[in-house]
Short mmCIF file of all heavy atoms in Angstrom, two decimals:
data_model
loop_
_atom_site.label_atom_id
_atom_site.label_comp_id
_atom_site.label_asym_id
_atom_site.label_seq_id
_atom_site.Cartn_x
_atom_site.Cartn_y
_atom_site.Cartn_z
N GLY A 723 21.29 106.25 72.81
CA GLY A 723 22.48 107.06 72.48
C GLY A 723 23.10 107.68 73.72
O GLY A 723 24.32 107.74 73.88
N ARG A 742 46.79 105.86 85.23
CA ARG A 742 47.43 106.50 86.37
C ARG A 742 47.92 105.45 87.36
O ARG A 742 48.98 105.53 87.93
CB ARG A 742 46.45 107.45 87.07
CG ARG A 742 46.24 108.75 86.29
CD ARG A 742 45.24 109.64 86.97
NE ARG A 742 45.03 110.86 86.21
CZ ARG A 742 44.02 111.68 86.41
NH1 ARG A 742 43.11 111.39 87.33
NH2 ARG A 742 43.90 112.78 85.70
N GLY A 756 67.23 99.75 107.40
CA GLY A 756 68.61 99.50 107.77
C GLY A 756 69.02 100.23 109.03
O GLY A 756 68.34 101.14 109.50
N ILE A 758 72.33 102.31 110.45
CA ILE A 758 73.52 102.98 109.92
C ILE A 758 74.29 103.68 111.03
O ILE A 758 73.73 104.00 112.08
CB ILE A 758 73.13 104.01 108.83
CG1 ILE A 758 72.26 105.12 109.45
CG2 ILE A 758 72.40 103.34 107.67
CD1 ILE A 758 71.97 106.29 108.51
N ALA A 816 79.33 87.55 110.24
CA ALA A 816 79.47 86.23 110.85
C ALA A 816 78.23 85.88 111.66
O ALA A 816 77.74 84.73 111.61
CB ALA A 816 80.72 86.21 111.73
N PHE A 828 82.05 103.58 100.02
CA PHE A 828 82.88 104.77 100.18
C PHE A 828 83.65 104.69 101.49
O PHE A 828 83.40 103.80 102.32
CB PHE A 828 82.04 106.05 100.12
CG PHE A 828 80.76 106.02 100.92
CD1 PHE A 828 80.78 106.16 102.30
CD2 PHE A 828 79.53 105.85 100.29
CE1 PHE A 828 79.60 106.14 103.04
CE2 PHE A 828 78.35 105.82 101.02
CZ PHE A 828 78.38 105.97 102.39
N LEU A 844 100.47 123.43 118.94
CA LEU A 844 101.01 122.12 118.59
C LEU A 844 102.15 122.26 117.59
O LEU A 844 103.20 121.62 117.72
CB LEU A 844 99.91 121.22 118.03
CG LEU A 844 98.82 120.75 118.98
CD1 LEU A 844 97.80 119.89 118.23
CD2 LEU A 844 99.38 119.98 120.16
N VAL A 859 99.15 118.68 109.58
CA VAL A 859 99.43 117.27 109.85
C VAL A 859 99.76 117.12 111.34
O VAL A 859 100.55 117.91 111.89
CB VAL A 859 100.61 116.76 109.00
CG1 VAL A 859 101.00 115.35 109.43
CG2 VAL A 859 100.25 116.79 107.52
N ALA A 863 103.54 110.10 116.51
CA ALA A 863 104.55 109.62 117.45
C ALA A 863 104.85 110.67 118.51
O ALA A 863 104.95 110.37 119.71
CB ALA A 863 105.82 109.22 116.70
N SER A 901 81.71 102.60 119.43
CA SER A 901 81.82 103.44 118.24
C SER A 901 83.05 103.06 117.41
O SER A 901 84.14 102.84 117.95
CB SER A 901 81.92 104.92 118.65
OG SER A 901 82.24 105.73 117.56
N ASN A 916 103.45 100.29 118.68
CA ASN A 916 104.04 98.97 118.49
C ASN A 916 105.16 98.99 117.45
O ASN A 916 105.50 97.96 116.87
CB ASN A 916 102.95 97.97 118.07
CG ASN A 916 103.37 96.52 118.26
OD1 ASN A 916 104.04 96.18 119.23
ND2 ASN A 916 102.98 95.67 117.32
N ALA A 959 81.92 124.05 122.21
CA ALA A 959 81.96 123.37 123.50
C ALA A 959 83.05 122.30 123.51
O ALA A 959 83.47 121.81 122.48
CB ALA A 959 80.61 122.72 123.79
N ASN A 961 86.54 119.97 124.28
CA ASN A 961 87.99 119.94 124.10
C ASN A 961 88.41 120.63 122.80
O ASN A 961 87.68 120.59 121.81
CB ASN A 961 88.43 118.47 124.09
CG ASN A 961 89.92 118.31 124.31
OD1 ASN A 961 90.50 118.94 125.18
ND2 ASN A 961 90.54 117.45 123.53
N GLN A 979 79.48 126.55 105.36
CA GLN A 979 80.09 127.02 106.60
C GLN A 979 81.60 126.87 106.50
O GLN A 979 82.10 125.80 106.17
CB GLN A 979 79.56 126.21 107.79
CG GLN A 979 78.06 126.30 107.99
CD GLN A 979 77.61 125.56 109.23
OE1 GLN A 979 78.08 125.81 110.34
NE2 GLN A 979 76.69 124.62 109.04
N ASP A 996 86.37 102.43 106.28
CA ASP A 996 85.69 101.88 105.12
C ASP A 996 84.24 101.57 105.48
O ASP A 996 83.96 100.58 106.15
CB ASP A 996 86.38 100.59 104.65
CG ASP A 996 87.72 100.86 103.98
OD1 ASP A 996 87.75 101.70 103.07
OD2 ASP A 996 88.72 100.26 104.38
N THR A 998 81.06 100.00 105.35
CA THR A 998 80.84 98.66 104.81
C THR A 998 79.41 98.22 105.04
O THR A 998 78.91 98.26 106.16
CB THR A 998 81.81 97.66 105.46
OG1 THR A 998 83.16 98.13 105.32
CG2 THR A 998 81.69 96.28 104.83
N PHE A 1037 87.62 115.14 94.83
CA PHE A 1037 87.00 115.06 96.15
C PHE A 1037 86.80 116.43 96.78
O PHE A 1037 85.68 116.89 96.94
CB PHE A 1037 87.81 114.16 97.09
CG PHE A 1037 87.37 114.28 98.53
CD1 PHE A 1037 86.13 113.82 98.92
CD2 PHE A 1037 88.17 114.91 99.46
CE1 PHE A 1037 85.69 113.97 100.22
CE2 PHE A 1037 87.75 115.05 100.77
CZ PHE A 1037 86.51 114.58 101.15
N GLY A 1050 101.26 111.84 102.06
CA GLY A 1050 101.95 112.02 103.34
C GLY A 1050 101.21 111.46 104.53
O GLY A 1050 101.57 111.73 105.67
N VAL A 1061 91.21 91.16 118.51
CA VAL A 1061 92.26 91.98 119.12
C VAL A 1061 91.75 93.40 119.37
O VAL A 1061 91.99 93.99 120.43
CB VAL A 1061 93.52 92.00 118.23
CG1 VAL A 1061 94.52 93.05 118.73
CG2 VAL A 1061 94.17 90.63 118.20
N HIS A 1063 88.69 94.39 119.88
CA HIS A 1063 87.78 94.34 121.03
C HIS A 1063 88.58 94.32 122.34
O HIS A 1063 88.21 94.99 123.31
CB HIS A 1063 86.91 93.09 120.96
CG HIS A 1063 85.61 93.30 120.23
ND1 HIS A 1063 84.69 94.26 120.58
CD2 HIS A 1063 85.08 92.65 119.16
CE1 HIS A 1063 83.65 94.20 119.79
NE2 HIS A 1063 83.87 93.24 118.89
#
Side-chain angles (χ1 to χ4, degrees):
R742 284 178 181 165
I758 63 173
F828 45 77
L844 291 179
V859 172
S901 171
N916 197 38
N961 196 45
Q979 299 184 56
D996 287 309
T998 306
F1037 167 68
V1061 170
H1063 269 304

